[in-house]
Amino acid sequence: MKLLQAAALWLSSASASRLASEPKAPSYRAELVSLHQSLVEIASVTYAENAVGSFLVDYLTARGFIAKLQFLPPSNASDAPEGTKPRFNVLAWPGPTRQPNPSVLITSHIDTVPPYIPYSRSDPEAELNGDTVIAGRGSVDAKASVAAQVTAVVELLAAGRIDPAAVMLAFVVGEERSGDGMRHFSDALATLPGSGFKAVIFGEPTEGKLACGHKGFFGCTITAHGKAGHSGYPWLGKSATEVLMRGMVKILDTELGSSDVFGNTTVNVGIIEGGVALNVIPAVAVARIAGRVAIGPEADGGRIVTERVRDVLKGVDADAFEIDCVNGYGVVECACDVPGFETVTVNYGTDVPNLKGDHARYLYGPGSILVAHGADEAIRLRDLEAGVEDYKKLILHTVNDNDDAGEL
């Protein structure tokens, strides 16, 4: 009995000590957690974003925003499922004006990678605290950014810190595939006379650091052609699989481009397919590769690297390869000279290059990309709340002509 009493006393003291050291919860904690939970609970794998978009429209209009649904044309992508509901970007700005002319755009994406993972919280019966871990698909990428951005704008408006006419929200679809949501938004802006933003704040998981940029990207489908024959007489045929394998190894071993800031260009051989039977020399083999480009310029870096890939494959076999490369671009640089932020560069792609214009580009978000697409995707509540405060700083920095944001 005395041992149990001592243990209870120790646990009580430990809990009191932890609570005493826990920073005071922000006034918006419950609302932030509720918004984040609602977003994560709604499955929104790319091409199936309709429900989460509808939720956001209702949420924002209930808080005095004007919201517009910007519908996309039906996707002709080969992996788009048939019968999906209409897809749309959510555009919103503080009311009551119906004709916004904002100087700053705050944006992120509402689609996720598959598969859907249900929402959960560590110790759900306990009181929320900074160490509470929130898990589920999109809890980091990028619904943490969406929830923190919305909360930051609402808080700044309520405090009278920003002019309602200065800001606009855009939550787009399709970032995890082709970026068709942001591309559509960008194309629509180009048709409006006098439209354009002074600055755009993009939300992606950067571990709470301000990204100075990210690597570029290219994707290639590489088909090797050979000659079929009996596997017992390999000299009478030509193995497309063997040629393809030699080509892939050569690509992986070749320096395709590097820089001091972004490191080395890397290639992932994601898919290899070939042959019809184990005792038949394969006539055709196909590989699909993705490259993370470490060189510029943004417009041509991807093309430069894919040309190097072509040269490598010609060196392996001048006649065997058919190469189809798409979506190439070089390193993407972002503004990162903002007081109070650690900086970083990241290796993944974003919607930053999909929005055309001469605006300043900022890339920031709570949570880590290292768990974003995995089974253990999760974020601590303190990091989500830090995201709100950091978005406030970035919004004030951009709205106030890059003057110091001051104390929050």
Side-chain angles (χ1 to χ4, degrees):
M1 179 63 71
K2 289 183 178 180
L3 183 60
L4 288 174
Q5 289 175 338
L9 180 61
W10 181 85
L11 288 172
S12 177
S13 299
S15 177
S17 176
R18 182 187 61 77
L19 290 174
S21 62
E22 175 79 16
K24 183 180 179 182
S27 60
Y28 53 75
R29 172 174 283 181
E31 183 66 22
L32 172 65
V33 172
S34 176
L35 171 58
H36 185 247
Q37 177 174 352
S38 295
L39 292 169
V40 176
E41 284 181 338
I42 301 172
S44 58
V45 173
T46 309
Y47 305 123
E49 308 100 336
N50 183 284
V52 74
S54 297
F55 165 79
L56 265 178
V57 168
D58 292 341
Y59 183 92
L60 292 166
T61 54
R63 285 152 182 82
F65 287 80
I66 305 297
K68 175 183 177 182
L69 280 63
Q70 185 183 56
F71 286 93
L72 276 67
S75 176
N76 58 6
S78 59
D79 59 345
E82 295 183 4
T84 56
K85 293 182 179 180
R87 302 172 66 222
F88 54 86
N89 298 325
V90 177
L91 314 182
W93 56 91
T97 180
R98 294 280 173 176
Q99 299 295 329
N101 186 28
S103 60
V104 176
L105 177 71
I106 301 103
T107 182
S108 190
H109 63 93
I110 53 176
D111 66 314
T112 72
V113 298
Y116 173 68
I117 300 173
Y119 179 93
S120 64
R121 283 206 309 255
S122 61
D123 199 1
E125 302 303 320
E127 183 177 355
L128 290 168
N129 62 79
D131 288 325
T132 298
V133 176
I134 304 172
R137 179 60 76 227
S139 57
V140 173
D141 188 11
K143 293 176 179 181
S145 288
V146 174
Q149 288 175 337
V150 170
T151 303
V153 172
V154 169
E155 288 289 306
L156 289 174
L157 290 169
R161 300 291 304 276
I162 55 173
D163 179 358
V167 295
M168 180 178 183
L169 296 166
F171 299 119
V172 301
V173 300
E175 190 273 344
E176 296 289 4
R177 285 292 189 271
S178 64
D180 58 348
M182 184 59 79
R183 294 176 192 273
H184 185 72
F185 176 68
S186 181
D187 291 345
L189 281 180
T191 65
L192 301 177
S195 65
F197 303 104
K198 179 182 71 177
V200 180
I201 301 169
F202 294 86
E204 290 282 0
T206 64
E207 298 183 343
K209 300 175 183 178
L210 193 56
C212 296
H214 64 76
K215 284 185 174 181
F217 177 84
F218 71 89
C220 293
T221 298
I222 300 170
T223 304
H225 297 279
K227 181 182 177 182
H230 194 291
S231 64
Y233 303 87
W235 57 88
L236 297 180
K238 180 178 181 178
S239 171
T241 301
E242 179 182 338
V243 173
L244 182 65
M245 291 169 61
R246 293 182 187 278
M248 294 303 99
V249 171
K250 190 66 174 178
I251 289 172
L252 294 173
D253 288 344
T254 299
E255 166 59 66
L256 296 173
S258 61
S259 64
D260 291 339
V261 175
F262 294 95
N264 295 322
T265 295
T266 60
V267 173
N268 178 61
V269 182
I271 298 173
I272 292 183
E273 301 170 317
V276 294
L278 80 166
N279 60 346
V280 177
I281 299 170
V284 178
V286 179
R288 293 179 176 84
I289 66 174
R292 302 295 173 172
V293 180
I295 62 171
E298 183 176 321
D300 292 325
R303 179 189 58 78
I304 293 170
V305 173
T306 56
E307 287 301 316
R308 293 173 181 173
V309 168
R310 293 177 191 274
D311 290 341
V312 168
L313 293 176
K314 286 179 183 177
V316 173
D317 190 308
D319 303 316
F321 293 104
E322 177 185 343
I323 307 165
D324 181 24
C325 298
V326 296
N327 291 337
Y329 60 91
V331 294
V332 176
E333 296 182 347
C334 297
C336 59
D337 186 16
V338 180
F341 284 89
E342 292 184 62
T343 60
V344 69
T345 59
V346 295
N347 295 344
Y348 52 83
T350 73
D351 266 333
V352 173
N354 293 331
L355 180 57
K356 306 305 180 184
D358 59 358
H359 47 269
R361 309 183 296 189
Y362 298 86
L363 178 60
Y364 169 89
S368 173
I369 195 66
L370 301 182
V371 300
H373 290 189
D376 56 349
E377 182 172 0
I379 187 171
R380 292 186 306 173
L381 180 53
R382 67 160 48 90
D383 296 329
L384 184 61
E385 291 172 345
V388 175
E389 298 305 314
D390 284 343
Y391 278 128
K392 287 184 187 179
K393 293 175 185 176
L394 286 173
I395 293 168
L396 289 171
H397 179 82
T398 53
V399 167
N400 296 331
D401 293 322
N402 295 338
D403 291 338
D404 186 83
E407 295 296 324
L408 292 175

